Amino acid sequence: MQKWIVSILMLLSLQLHAQEPTKMQWFADAKLGIFIHWGIYAVDGTSESWAFYNKRVPYGTYMNQIKGFTAANYNPTAWANLIAASGAKYAVITTKHHDGVALWNTKQNKLSIPLQSPAAKDVLAPFVSALRQKQIKFGAYYSLLDWSHPDYTGFTKDSSRYKAATDTIRWKRFQTFYKGQLNELIDQYKPDLFWFDGDWEQDANTWDAAGIRKMILAKNPKAILNGRLQGFGDYDTPEQNFPVSRPLQPYWELCLTTNDNWGFRFIDSNFKTPYQIISIFADCIGMGGNLLLDIGPKADGSIPKEQENILKELGNWNNKHEEAVFSSIAGLPAGHFYGPSTLSKDSQNLYLFLTNTNATACYLKGLQNKILKAEVLGTDQTIAPTVVGKISWSQVPGLLYFNIPVALQDKYVTVLKLQLEGPLKLYRGKGGL
Ligand code: GLC
C-alpha cells in the first residue's frame, strides 16, 4: 500500500479511538513526562534488548546480566522526588522490555527481576506508590513482542521461531501469556497510561489490538493508550525525530533520550544540554504536544548525575515559567514568530519563547489585539514594544519589535508574556493594503 494511504488510515483510526476528550485532558495539560528505561541491560551497559537481537552479544551473555541487577541503591522515593522536581506530571517505566524481563512479580512465567536477580523483589510496586504520593500519573511501558518467550515468533534479526499464521495454537498460547501479564498490571498497579511498544512485528488482528483496548478500558475507562497499538491507541508517539510541522493528531508526545540511548550505557556520554532539552520542550508544547524525556538508571538503581542535572535544570526553568508551560495550549501558527509560542486556554495571554541564546530582540507579525501588558516572565519587568511599519489607514497590523535587556534574559530560554485585550486575533493575509 502507498505510504500516504497508510498514514491517512492510521490517522483516521487514531482519531476514531481518541473520542473521549475529557479522558485526555490531564494528558494534554501535563506537557512533560519522564520515561524510564530500567532493565538488566544496564548491568553491562549493552543496548536495551537490541544487543542480542542484533547479535552484538550472544543471547546467553545478554541474559546473564540479570545476575548483576542488584538495585542496591534503588530509592523509589528519590526517583519520584526528582521527577516531581523536573515539573513532570507523569512517568512511564519499562515494566517489560523486548527482552521479556518483568520488573514485577509476574505469575505468567519465571522471567522476572524478583525471581532471578539479586534484587530479589518487585521493583515496580514501590515506584508506583512513590509516584502516587506525589500525584504523578503512572504509565506502564509494555513491550508486546517478547524475544525471550518460547511461544513468541521472533528471536534475533536472522532467526525466528515460527509465524503466527502457521501455528495458531502456539500463537494463542502467547496471547494468553501477554494478556495475563497485562491483566496483572491493570489489577495490581492500575496504570493511568499504557505505553505499548514493539507492535510493529504483528498486525492489529494478530495482536488482537481491539481486544487489548477493550480489556483495558473495561477495567479502567479512563486509561490512556499510546499510539503503538496498530491504530488502536489514543495519541501519536514520534520517537527522537522532531516533527517540523504541527502533527495533525489532536494529542501527541515526542519521546526523546537525554543522551543517545534509552537505557544506561557506560560508553554514552553524549548528553544533550539543558538548553537543548528546554528549547525542544518549548517547541513540543508550542505545537500542542508533550515531551516524554528519558532517563536510564544504572543497575544499582542510581540515576546518572548528568540526567539528574538535566531534570533539575528543566524543573527550575519550569518553575519560573509555570504559566507559559502547564495548562497552556498550542501557540501561534507558523509565520508569526520565529520561535515556539503557547497561549493560555482563553487565548488572552500569549507566551513567546526566545530559543535563540542571547537573543536581545525579536519581533511578532500579524497581531491584531491591543497589548495590555508585555513582560519578561519571572522578572516583573515590562517591555514596551516598538511598532514598526504600521500604515495608519491599513487594516494590516505593524510588526512588534521587543528589545530584551541582557539582565532580564533567562540563562536558557527567555519567555515574553503578552497580555492581550480579548482573545487572540491574527492577521493571516498576504500583506498589501
Ligand atoms: C523503540 C525501541 C525501544 C525503545 C523505544 C522507546 O521502539 O525498540 O528499544 O524502548 O523505542 O520509544
Side-chain angles (χ1 to χ4, degrees), residues 35 37 48 50 97-98 141 195 197 200 228 239 255 262:
F35 209 176
H37 275 69
E48 76 293 341
W50 293 97
H97 204 262
H98 311 329
Y141 166 107
W195 213 99
D197 199 15
W200 62 82
R228 298 192 182 169
E239 176 175 327
C255 54
W262 297 103

Side-chain angles (χ1 to χ4, degrees), residues 313-325:
E313 291 295 290
L314 175 59
N316 291 338
W317 183 87
N318 275 332
N319 268 340
K320 179 172 166 193
H321 302 103
E322 174 99 36
E323 63 168 278
V325 174

Side-chain angles (χ1 to χ4, degrees), residues 364-367 386-391 395-400:
L364 178 62
K365 258 192 269 181
L367 181 71
T386 312
V387 184
V388 174
K390 170 76 187 123
I391 301 175
Q395 293 304 305
V396 183
L399 303 174
L400 297 173

Side-chain angles (χ1 to χ4, degrees), residues 15-16 20 36 49 53 58 90-91 117 123 134 142 144 166 169 198 225 262 264 267 309 316 319 352:
Q15 282 179 338
L16 202 73
E20 310 106 273
I36 302 170
S49 307
Y53 180 86
Y90 63 108
S117 80
V123 288
K134 287 264 160 198
Y142 182 82
L144 288 163
T166 53
I169 294 174
L225 278 61
W262 297 103
F264 172 73
I267 55 154
N309 180 50
N316 291 338
N319 268 340
L352 305 174

